[in-house]
Amino acid sequence: MLTGHYGPAFIIKVIDRKVALWMLFIAVQIPDIIWGTLILTGFEKARINTNLLSNPLELYYMPYSHGLLSSIIYSIMIVAILLLFPYFRKNIGSACWIGVAIFSHWILDFFSHRPDLPIIGDKMKIGLGLWDYPLEAVIVEGAIFLGGAIWYAVKVGGFKRKTSAIFWSFIIVVLLISSVRELIMTPANVEMVAISAMCFYIIATLIIYYVEKNENTKN
Ligand SMILES: [Zn+2]
């Protein structure tokens, strides 16, 4: 799952206006940012396997980035680090919501991944495997992403026309690209998956930073 993780980011922003949406955009992808880093440095392993039913990404060793226990540990650790900053000490709730955003990644991956998410270390792997039904997976992921975006725009929005155009163009382009990617494309290698995902996270966060800045000046 790639774009669906942004659904909880939008929802949390509506619940707690004090937490920046661009920070939530980073938070919900932290497990994948860790995964990309560990794949590129060789600490976690994956391969492209076209014999699989659908998504050819075979994630056979990712105990650090996508383990249940490790996800809980680094969600708590990042909240603790945030609480070192005066802003988050004044807004402890916002720091906790960022922790929830980080952990929401594992929950959504649990529904979408095949049983490749280890509970402790590299053992007891679970996952409900929505990925094995590509069309349904794309529809569910798109609905979570689009639903969150609409709810955010309605509840927080108040965009100027230009900001609104940028925001909705971003949402539509991302929906199209992610659907095509999941339904048609087979990645050349795992490193390319990691690099392209991380580039996408950076671009998405920068666009949301711009949108949010302009949304705030209007309100
Ligand atoms: Zn993930």
Side-chain angles (χ1 to χ4, degrees):
M1 185 170 278
L2 190 78
T3 53
H5 291 296
Y6 292 130
F10 286 124
I11 292 165
I12 290 171
K13 174 66 190 185
V14 175
I15 296 169
D16 181 0
R17 306 282 173 92
K18 290 199 205 101
V19 56
L21 184 59
W22 68 267
M23 284 192 191
L24 291 169
F25 257 54
I26 296 172
V28 294
Q29 299 293 13
I30 279 188
D32 278 7
I33 294 168
I34 296 173
W35 176 81
T37 310
L38 296 181
I39 282 289
L40 293 174
T41 50
F43 289 100
E44 289 198 343
K45 304 210 182 300
R47 63 185 155 232
I48 304 296
N49 180 354
T50 47
N51 293 325
L52 290 173
L53 270 180
S54 56
N55 190 328
L57 194 56
E58 190 178 357
L59 300 157
Y60 63 93
Y61 184 71
M62 46 176 195
Y64 312 111
S65 65
H66 282 74
L68 174 58
L69 183 66
S70 48
S71 294
I72 293 169
I73 290 172
Y74 55 71
S75 298
I76 293 170
M77 269 171 56
I78 291 171
V79 172
I81 292 168
L82 289 174
L83 290 175
L84 297 174
F85 294 89
Y87 177 83
F88 285 105
R89 275 208 297 277
K90 269 189 247 136
N91 299 294
I92 293 174
S94 298
C96 292
W97 276 118
I98 288 180
V100 171
I102 297 168
F103 189 65
S104 75
H105 185 105
W106 193 91
I107 301 285
L108 287 183
D109 274 0
F110 170 65
F111 287 96
S112 57
H113 280 227
R114 290 179 281 261
D116 54 24
L117 302 165
I119 294 179
I120 299 173
D122 193 39
K123 294 197 177 79
M124 293 180 277
K125 295 186 183 182
I126 52 174
L128 297 180
L130 186 60
W131 267 356
D132 285 339
Y133 307 90
L135 188 61
E136 286 85 346
V138 165
I139 291 170
V140 169
E141 181 165 10
I144 295 170
F145 178 62
L146 187 60
I150 292 172
W151 203 38
Y152 164 72
V154 169
K155 292 283 185 184
V156 182
F159 303 138
K160 293 172 192 158
R161 194 179 290 176
K162 189 178 154 205
T163 314
S164 182
I166 291 171
F167 179 72
W168 289 111
S169 304
F170 164 71
I171 299 296
I172 291 164
V173 168
V174 165
L175 268 178
L176 289 175
I177 292 175
S178 64
S179 305
V180 168
R181 177 182 165 274
E182 308 232 339
L183 291 175
I184 301 170
M185 284 162 64
T186 303
N189 57 59
V190 174
E191 288 74 20
M192 277 310 296
V193 176
I195 292 169
S196 59
M198 293 211 279
C199 290
F200 169 67
Y201 300 149
I202 293 169
I203 293 166
T205 303
L206 289 175
I207 291 172
I208 285 303
Y209 177 78
Y210 173 86
V211 166
E212 191 168 36
K213 226 172 137 215
N214 286 278
E215 163 245 304
N216 286 338
T217 47
K218 167 97 193 244
N219 288 335

